[in-house]
């Protein structure tokens, strides 16, 4: 009996000695320009800890794990003006629940008015960026409720892009320009992960991140640049063209391309104007080569990522035989869906076709054939002659940005509108971000 009691007492003492005490627990807004909150606390011994948090009976979010005995853990994806609970979690215990209420959104935040079909929902988030001062980035859920935002004290540059890691997973991030020659990668928790100074290369319209060396954990950062050609003809001193620059994670310039090294304006059938080519989007194809949208040419070019040679030109007067319904005008947001299928936003043209649409197509490079797979039209009232985008959501629905109409639309493949968001702000692009 004494041996049993001694064993029980020993286990109890060991268990008590492993208990961790949570001290100086507090929570505060990280700053007035962000929706991220910081939970500060200390523990009586070093170890791993994270924070679980939730709103009413909604899904439980978990912060990343941190190690130490003094912690400042960020909580993101919080709805404004809402009551939340959180608890601190270690490997063998958790704290009591704590409560806090998030702030209201600032009064200058974009106004949002949603109409949607009652039975329509989606599981991810939509990622927006304003084009005015102050610059605001934010995410909405399927009910157009704000779940994340970040505010700049200046107008944000147009290029921004997610990096295709699900937004609630570790490593989720997005790209942004803090200046016209500074590419940055940020986490949604507010950390700056990468800063690249591009020097004299002025970045515009689009940037992207692609894997470079998985073994060394090095990535490539690709952007569109402005290039200039002394012209001195037709009352035009110089032509503005476009280029591509590629940097690694450490800011080393790996490669560049200048349109004027490969085509001569006087030898082409393109209109001579100061803003000659007007590239507005770039993506990477299945073979590592680049797809670039040239708005002024009504064309998509495929460019060899090593030699710089133009592999093909798709569009009006391009390398593929197109029917009248295949031709697109002033297009934006070229992006690859799978191995040989692509989608772009066909803006339309005021004196030809005042209708904007998603154009989904395949390219057979061996046979040099273009095939129109699907056209998904917006209503004529949502014609947007400039800017705008379309992306495929969950391989089923289409996410449109009708920039000149301040509308973000989700439609099905027949063009039926399922989700219609009106704002008092214009958005150049809107991205769909999966959660998990």
């Amino acid at each position: 009996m004494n041996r049993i009691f001694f064993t029980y007492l020993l286990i109890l003492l060991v268990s008590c000695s492993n208990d961790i005490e949570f001290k100086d627990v507090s929570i505060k807004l990280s700053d007035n320009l962000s929706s991220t909150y910081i939970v500060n606390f200390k523990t009586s011994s070093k170890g791993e800890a994270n924070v679980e948090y939730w709103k009413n009976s909604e899904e439980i979010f978990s912060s990343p794990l941190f190690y130490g005995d003094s912690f400042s853990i960020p909580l993101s994806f919080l709805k404004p003006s809402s009551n939340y609970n959180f608890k601190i979690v270690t490997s063998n215990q958790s704290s009591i629940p704590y409560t806090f209420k998030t702030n209201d959104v600032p009064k200058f935040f974009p106004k949002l008015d949603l109409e949607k079909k009652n039975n329509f929902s989606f599981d991810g988030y939509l990622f927006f960026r304003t084009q005015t001062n102050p610059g605001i980035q934010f995410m909405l859920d399927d009910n157009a409720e704000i779940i994340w935002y970040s505010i700049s004290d200046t107008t944000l540059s147009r290029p921004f892009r997610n990096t295709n890691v699900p937004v609630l997973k570790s490593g989720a991030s997005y790209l942004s320009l803090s200046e016209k020659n500074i590419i940055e990668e940020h986490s949604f928790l507010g950390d700056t992960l990468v800063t690249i100074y591009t020097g004299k290369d002025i970045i515009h319209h689009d940037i992207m991140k692609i894997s470079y060396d998985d073994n060394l954990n090095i990535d490539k950062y690709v952007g569109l640049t402005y290039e200039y050609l002394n012209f001195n003809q037709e009352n035009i001193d110089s032509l503005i063209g476009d280029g591509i620059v590629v940097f690694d994670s450490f800011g080393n310039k790996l490669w560049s391309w200048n349109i004027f090294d490969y085509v001569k304006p006087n030898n082409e059938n393109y209109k001579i104007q100061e803003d000659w080519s007007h590239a507005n989007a770039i993506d990477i194809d299945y073979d590592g080569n680049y797809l670039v949208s040239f708005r002024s040419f009504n064309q998509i070019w495929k460019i060899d990522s090593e030699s710089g040679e133009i592999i093909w030109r798709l569009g009006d007067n391009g390398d593929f035989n197109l029917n009248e319904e295949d031709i697109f005008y002033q297009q934006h947001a070229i992006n690859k869906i799978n191995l040989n299928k692509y989608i772009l936003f066909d803006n339309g043209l005021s004196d030809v076709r005042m209708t904007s649409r998603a154009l989904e197509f395949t390219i057979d490079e061996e046979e040099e054939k273009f095939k129109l797979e699907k056209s998904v039209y917006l209503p004529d009232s949502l014609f947007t002659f400039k800017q705008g985008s379309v992306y495929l959501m969950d391989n089923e629905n289409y996410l449109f940005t009708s920039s000149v109409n301040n509308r973000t639309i989700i439609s099905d493949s027949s063009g039926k509108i399922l989700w219609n968001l009106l704002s008092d702000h214009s958005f150049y692009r809107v991205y769909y971000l999966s959660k998990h």
Side-chain angles (χ1 to χ4, degrees), residues 176-193:
S176 180
L177 286 188
S178 60
E179 300 287 345
K180 291 181 179 180
N181 62 347
I182 303 177
I183 300 173
E184 291 185 334
E185 182 177 355
H186 301 276
S187 77
F188 290 106
L189 297 173
D191 298 318
T192 300
L193 307 176

Side-chain angles (χ1 to χ4, degrees), residues 229-244:
L229 176 71
N230 291 328
F231 193 63
N232 297 317
Q233 300 175 40
E234 302 182 28
N235 296 319
I236 299 175
D237 294 333
S238 63
L239 299 180
I240 302 173
D242 297 283
I244 304 168

Side-chain angles (χ1 to χ4, degrees), residues 12 29 61 121 180 186 256 269 277 288 334 341 346 374:
L12 181 63
L29 193 64
F61 293 85
S121 64
K180 291 181 179 180
H186 301 276
S256 64
N269 293 321
S277 53
I334 177 65
K341 184 179 285 189
D346 176 8
K374 195 176 295 180

Side-chain angles (χ1 to χ4, degrees), residues 129 137 152-160 174-186 192 194-198 203 207:
R129 170 179 277 197
Q137 302 175 114
S152 172
D153 55 3
T154 60
T155 302
L156 289 165
S157 297
R158 182 174 291 172
F160 78 114
Y174 66 95
L175 304 181
S176 180
L177 286 188
S178 60
E179 300 287 345
K180 291 181 179 180
N181 62 347
I182 303 177
I183 300 173
E184 291 185 334
E185 182 177 355
H186 301 276
T192 300
V194 175
T195 300
I196 296 170
Y197 297 90
T198 65
I203 308 298
I207 48 181

Side-chain angles (χ1 to χ4, degrees), residues 398-409:
Y398 295 80
L399 171 63
F400 289 94
T401 310
S402 180
S403 302
V404 299
N405 299 291
N406 294 1
R407 290 204 180 257
T408 304
I409 302 292

Side-chain angles (χ1 to χ4, degrees), residues 304-320:
D304 191 296
S305 59
E306 294 183 359
S307 70
E309 295 296 329
I310 301 164
I311 298 171
W312 48 250
R313 310 184 200 192
L314 171 67
D316 195 18
N317 296 315
D319 297 327
F320 298 86

Side-chain angles (χ1 to χ4, degrees), residues 49-317:
N50 73 323
V51 175
E52 293 182 351
Y53 54 105
W54 62 96
K55 177 180 178 287
N56 300 326
S57 59
E58 295 182 5
E59 67 178 306
I60 295 176
F61 293 85
S62 295
S63 76
L65 279 170
F66 293 84
Y67 180 85
D69 56 11
S70 181
F71 297 86
S72 293
I73 296 182
L75 308 185
S76 202
F77 310 108
L78 300 166
K79 294 180 180 179
S81 312
S82 299
N83 294 310
Y84 277 86
N85 303 286
F86 75 88
K87 63 180 180 180
I88 303 163
V89 180
T90 66
S91 59
N92 60 357
Q93 70 184 89
S94 60
S95 72
I96 62 171
Y98 299 89
T99 61
F100 69 102
K101 184 176 182 179
T102 55
N103 287 353
D104 300 338
V105 295
K107 292 182 179 180
F108 55 79
F109 211 85
K111 301 294 188 296
L112 303 168
D113 184 17
L114 175 65
E115 296 178 7
K116 74 168 186 172
K117 298 295 181 183
N118 291 334
N119 60 348
F120 177 72
S121 64
F122 55 86
D123 189 46
Y125 300 133
L126 302 186
F127 189 20
F128 295 74
R129 170 179 277 197
T130 64
Q131 302 190 77
T132 54
N133 188 5
I136 304 172
Q137 302 175 114
F138 61 96
M139 276 190 251
L140 301 180
D141 64 13
D142 60 338
N143 291 315
E145 292 187 353
I146 299 161
I147 58 95
W148 178 90
Y149 67 82
S150 174
I151 302 170
S152 172
D153 55 3
T154 60
T155 302
L156 289 165
S157 297
R158 182 174 291 172
F160 78 114
R161 194 163 183 161
N162 64 303
T163 56
N164 296 322
V165 176
V167 71
L168 297 184
K169 284 193 172 183
S170 175
S173 62
Y174 66 95
L175 304 181
S176 180
L177 286 188
S178 60
E179 300 287 345
K180 291 181 179 180
N181 62 347
I182 303 177
I183 300 173
E184 291 185 334
E185 182 177 355
H186 301 276
S187 77
F188 290 106
L189 297 173
D191 298 318
T192 300
L193 307 176
V194 175
T195 300
I196 296 170
Y197 297 90
T198 65
K200 295 181 180 179
D201 294 310
I202 303 302
I203 308 298
H204 70 89
H205 277 87
D206 209 359
I207 48 181
M208 66 176 177
K209 174 185 175 181
I210 55 180
S211 178
Y212 178 39
D213 191 324
D214 291 333
N215 294 325
L216 297 176
N217 197 27
I218 300 175
D219 297 300
K220 290 196 293 190
Y221 296 80
V222 183
L224 295 173
T225 61
Y226 291 115
E227 304 293 344
Y228 299 88
L229 176 71
N230 291 328
F231 193 63
N232 297 317
Q233 300 175 40
E234 302 182 28
N235 296 319
I236 299 175
D237 294 333
S238 63
L239 299 180
I240 302 173
D242 297 283
I244 304 168
V245 288
V246 182
F247 290 82
D248 67 17
S249 307
F250 303 106
N252 300 308
K253 189 173 180 178
L254 303 176
W255 190 81
S256 64
W257 181 86
N258 182 337
I259 190 172
F260 295 120
D261 291 336
Y262 296 89
V263 292
K264 306 303 178 186
N266 284 332
N267 296 338
E268 302 288 337
N269 293 321
Y270 306 125
K271 180 181 178 181
I272 295 297
Q273 55 188 345
E274 186 176 3
D275 185 6
W276 187 60
S277 53
H278 196 114
N280 58 25
I282 187 168
D283 203 8
I284 189 164
D285 207 356
Y286 69 92
D287 53 6
N289 296 314
Y290 299 120
L291 302 167
V292 180
S293 166
F294 292 102
R295 181 178 184 266
S296 294
F297 301 160
N298 300 323
Q299 288 183 347
I300 305 296
W301 290 10
K302 182 169 180 175
I303 298 166
D304 191 296
S305 59
E306 294 183 359
S307 70
E309 295 296 329
I310 301 164
I311 298 171
W312 48 250
R313 310 184 200 192
L314 171 67
D316 195 18
N317 296 315

